[in-house]
Structures are given as C-alpha cells and as structure tokens.
Amino acid sequence: MKLGATLVLSLAFGSLTALAGKQIKGLSKNAQELFDIAMTYNDDGWDSIRGVTGAGSARATAWYAVGLLARNDGPDVAIARDIIEREIDAQYTVPGNPWYGTYKRTFEEPIPGTLQYPARIYNSYDPNWREFVGTAFIFAIEEYSNLLGKSLVDKMLVSLNHAVLGGLTRVGLDGDNLDLLYTNPALMRAFSTGWLGPTYYGIDMWALSLWSKYSPSDSNLAKYGPLMLSGLWDTMGEYYNSNLKNFAGPYDRTYGNDMTTYMAVIGLYQSCVTGKANAPLPPKLYASKHIDDWAQGHLIALTCDTALKYASSKAKSAMTKFTKPRYLERYIRSSETNDTRRPVTTWIEDWAMLGGESISETDHVRGDQFIPGLIQWSPKKGYISWIAWSQSANWLSGVVGNSSSGQPTLTLSYPNRTIPGTERFTLMTGGLPYVPGSNMTWPGFEGLPGIMLKVTTTGVDAPSTYFSNSVLHE
Ligand SMILES: *[C@@H]1O[C@H](CO)[C@@H](O)[C@H](O)[C@H]1NC(C)=O
Ligand SMILES: *[C@@H]1O[C@H](CO)[C@@H](O)[C@H](O)[C@H]1NC(C)=O
Ligand SMILES: *[C@@H]1O[C@H](CO)[C@@H](O)[C@H](O)[C@H]1NC(C)=O
Ligand SMILES: *[C@@H]1O[C@H](CO)[C@@H](O)[C@H](O)[C@H]1NC(C)=O
C-alpha cells in the first residue's frame, strides 16, 4: 500500500488519525475516513490461513469481500472472489428446512437439524443471514460485476434466488414471517414500526439505501426507499441530542444506552454527516464496546453518500447542533392488521433526556434489548450515565410528562396487576463516573452523581440494590 501525502501531512501536524488507505472513487472525505477504519479493523482480523475475518464469522467475511472489491489493491479482488465462492458453498440449498437459503454462520459448522447440531433459530442457524449476506452480494453485483466476472455473478444470482425463496418460505416454518428484502409488508413494517432504537436504525438505513439506489425505478422499493430514508433522518434529527451524542429513549431494541462507549451502526451513517470526531461513536476503535459492528463499517461508507442525499438540512444540522429543549410524543403502530398504537413520550434537555413507552402485548416479554423507560444524563464531560427500566411484564406503561414548565418526570407503572411480572420493577443504572470517596456505593437513585432525582412510589417496597460486573451487551 502506498503511503500518500495525506499521511505525511497528518503526521507533520501531529494527529494520529487512521492510516490513509487507497482513495475509493466517489467517496466523500467522511465516508473515506470510515472506510479506512473499517478496513483496518477487517484487515487486522483477517486470518489468511482459514480465510476468515471477524473471528471466523462467515457474515463478516462476506462483508469484507465487498470492501476488498471496492479497494481493489494487490490481491484484494482474488481474495474477494475466493470468499464469495466459499460463501456460496456454505449456503443451505435444500428446500423445506427453515434454514433453506440462509448462509452458514461459520464455514466449519455442520448442517443444522441433526442430533449433533439440533436446529435452533439464531443459534445453529440464523435466518437473517440470507439478507445480511444477500444484500452484500447485491451490492457487489451492482458495483463490481466487472471484477467478479460473468460466471461468478451467475452463481451469486442463483444463490440470491435461494436466499429470497428461503426468506419467502419463512412463514409458518419458524413462527415468524419477516423478510427484509423484497416484500411490501416488510417495507411497510419497517415504515411503521422499525424506527425506535439506535441499534436497528443503522440496519434500516443500509437496507433503505440499497432500495433507493438499486431497485428497479418503477418498483415500490424505489418509490418508498427515499421517502423512508428522509423520514428516518427527520426522526433521528428530532430524537438526537448532539450535546450528549445519543438518541433519547425509550428503545424498542438496543445493545447499549450510550453510543459514545458502544458502537452502533447508525453512528457510522451520522459520521458521514459530521466526520468521525463529531459522531456518536466511541472515539477509538479498540476503546469501544460492541466493536464487532465495525465489520460492516466499509459497507456503510460505500452507501452513506446515498443515504445522505435524502437527509434534510434540518436533520443534518441536528447531528451537530442542539436546538432547544423539547417534548416529543409519538404513537407507534403495534399491529399490521389494525390501528393499535403504543404511546412514546420523550423529554430532551441539553444535558439530560427521559423517555418512556407503553405496551400491552399478550404473548411475550421482549427481552433485555427492550428499554421501555430510560433516563440519560451527562454527570461530567465525556460521560453519559443512565437508568434503564427492564421489562418484567408484558403490560406496562412508561410516560414522560411534558415538562415545558416544571421538572421533567418519568412515571412507570403496571396498569394491570394480575399480569405476571408486575410484582417488581427492575431498573439498571450504568455509565457512572468514578467518584473518589464514594466507595461507588449508591444508596438509591437520589444519590447518583450529576443529577438530582426525586423518587416517589405507590405500592412499592423499599428497593434492594446490587452490583453486577457482567451486564449483557455492554
Ligand atoms: C390488533 O391486532 C393484534 C395482532 O396484530 C391483536 O393482538 C389485537 O387484539 C388487535 N386489536 C384489536 C383492537 O383488534
Ligand atoms: C408541551 O407544553 C408546551 C407548553 O405548555 C406546549 O406549547 C407544547 O405544545 C406541548 N407539547 C406537546 C407535544 O404536547
Ligand atoms: C388484566 O389482565 C387479565 C389477564 O390478562 C385480564 O383477564 C383482565 O381483563 C385485565 N384487566 C383489565 C382491567 O383489563
Ligand atoms: C466507604 O466505606 C468505608 C468502609 O466501609 C466507610 O467507612 C465509609 O463511610 C464509606 N464512605 C461512603 C461515602 O459511603
């Protein structure tokens, strides 16, 4: 790799930014910066003997192939073609199984559905890898078919066909009928329900960017992609707090509550607007939780200029400038067949945010990525602390008051006490700075650093508090 003038200059000015890589045609400066960091991550993770990156993940390896095609430096293309051949070989092509059309999670794993390797969704197979690998293939075919050659492109198309057919047969096979790529119900589902939570905004934006740029111009995807993209940017602009570099809660699904310490893919798209230094991303690659998502960083880099085309100037400006304290109220559709909606309320101050949502679902508790109530604040420069409500019952209510005058409040309640799980409230706090002399022992929420909270309860016993060093996801 040639070291260009950029590197020499940046050293002369004493800044240690990422290594200057090969300039990729058509990328903005911000996108190129991302591309280089992500490819550094993937190059460093590349095991040339086993032919994998991402600690053996076949998905990360498929993504890497796209980056190699884009870079096209030295052996890059040959490696990419080899990866794609192996990816195709690692696809389940026998119809009739729930894993039909998806790709192996690692190249060495056996076929699921045997005594050796019982079929378990998201464990011995992951149905979503059809879309994760499939979209990478589509992108590669659209942009680099000349490097791939006709015979490999043809094989990829056959593979995509299996992925799509497999995706369509998901209905009834594993109790879930999601299809990210091609069906209109999925498109409408994303339109109406998929907009809450920083972890999944990023995946939405990747899919929407592909729809907007590569689907046939007379298709619904081409029609709605740009509309949904600009809607997503506007929503992000409303819920983003550039002072705290975080989206306000609540979150339907998230991996963490502080984007400055855990890596969320949407932060990569934002960094195309703001440059990495001003984006909600951990400042350094290895000073980052959930670092694995850098495996797709170069895919974001390659599509973010498309995504950005549909961002309003107001939304872009909100990525760097805090406008004003605000109260937001939304209703999210929770059914595809009727107009049932869940209320979501949020208060955003320049230094703190509160969010709450209400649900009453009959079948299941959503799990630990669901944060129906959240308070975030900055106790100290560079820190975000938070209190997150964990769902224990499937009927609950988190409501933030409109605090345009008076103190912001978050009210948590169980409207129906006969529902299991309503015998407790579980709240988790984290991101607290070290306070010398405190023993880091907090008597309750009212003593937490950097915020003055007042807690009032009805029908709740004195709380018990404990510390865990092994919190999931963060
Ligand atoms: C709305 O649809 C959901 C299923 O998506 C169902 O559980 C619920 O009972 C329906 N509500 C009404 C008011 O029909
Ligand atoms: C919140 O309260 C302010 C002041 O009373 C009012 O102007 C604003 O419309 C309210 N916002 C919502 C979403 O209710
Ligand atoms: C509370 O939940 C129970 C169990 O689902 C249900 O039978 C009852 O009708 C609910 N009560 C109210 C007031 O909705
Ligand atoms: C910290 O722990 C020590 C030893 O148990 C105790 O004497 C001291 O009061 C504690 N300090 C605070 C602020 O809780």
Side-chain angles (χ1 to χ4, degrees), residues 107-366:
F107 290 104
E108 66 264 29
E109 73 182 340
I111 291 174
T114 63
L115 273 181
Q116 241 184 50
Y117 202 42
R120 275 177 57 203
I121 189 168
Y122 304 120
N123 183 298
S124 56
Y125 70 98
D126 189 328
N128 291 333
W129 287 30
R130 296 184 182 103
E131 285 86 18
F132 282 125
V133 175
T135 48
F137 275 13
I138 291 171
F139 186 83
I141 293 170
E142 289 286 348
E143 293 287 341
Y144 313 114
S145 55
N146 60 326
L147 300 176
L148 296 166
K150 177 156 183 343
S151 74
L152 185 52
V153 168
D154 286 346
K155 282 189 189 174
M156 292 165 81
L157 290 171
V158 171
S159 171
L160 280 166
N161 201 36
H162 286 303
V164 171
L165 288 175
L168 292 174
T169 54
R170 272 181 83 174
V171 183
L173 279 175
D174 55 13
D176 149 349
N177 62 358
L178 191 71
D179 184 72
L180 277 177
L181 253 174
Y182 290 109
T183 65
N184 287 347
L187 185 142
M188 296 319 291
R189 178 203 296 260
F191 196 36
S192 59
T193 65
W195 284 8
L196 207 64
T199 299
Y200 294 87
Y201 278 164
I203 306 302
D204 290 349
M205 201 163 268
W206 156 247
L208 290 172
S209 304
L210 295 187
W211 293 354
S212 301
K213 186 159 178 193
Y214 301 113
S215 40
S217 58
D218 57 352
S219 67
N220 276 344
L221 298 184
K223 184 166 147 204
Y224 291 121
L227 194 72
M228 289 167 67
L229 265 180
S230 63
L232 182 52
W233 278 113
D234 284 343
T235 305
M236 286 164 54
E238 281 184 80
Y239 284 86
Y240 186 64
N241 182 329
S242 60
N243 282 351
L244 299 187
K245 286 190 169 179
N246 269 280
F247 290 99
Y251 303 144
D252 268 9
R253 285 188 74 178
T254 189
Y255 286 146
N257 299 316
D258 175 16
M259 292 172 72
T260 68
T261 55
Y262 92 97
M263 198 285 202
V265 173
I266 195 63
L268 301 176
Y269 279 105
Q270 290 172 272
S271 114
C272 285
V273 179
T274 64
K276 182 167 172 294
N278 295 315
L281 287 169
K284 290 197 288 183
L285 188 54
Y286 293 106
S288 173
K289 293 166 188 158
H290 199 236
I291 184 175
D292 302 9
D293 269 5
W294 273 105
Q296 55 190 309
H298 54 284
L299 298 184
I300 308 315
L302 293 167
T303 54
C304 70
D305 292 325
T306 301
L308 258 180
K309 276 210 309 224
Y310 302 102
S312 67
S313 51
K314 187 175 168 204
K316 282 191 275 193
S317 152
M319 300 300 134
T320 51
K321 279 197 203 73
F322 183 84
T323 46
K324 56 179 198 302
R326 56 196 181 269
Y327 174 67
L328 303 169
E329 198 177 294
R330 286 191 146 226
Y331 292 84
I332 299 185
R333 281 188 60 167
S334 49
S335 164
E336 283 171 37
T337 51
N338 61 49
D339 206 35
T340 312
R341 284 161 196 259
R342 301 181 279 133
V344 178
T345 46
T346 299
W347 175 255
I348 302 179
E349 290 271 351
D350 56 356
W351 69 281
M353 313 193 275
L354 293 79
E357 65 179 295
S358 305
I359 59 166
S360 69
E361 294 175 336
T362 43
D363 34 358
H364 62 293
V365 166
R366 287 166 170 248

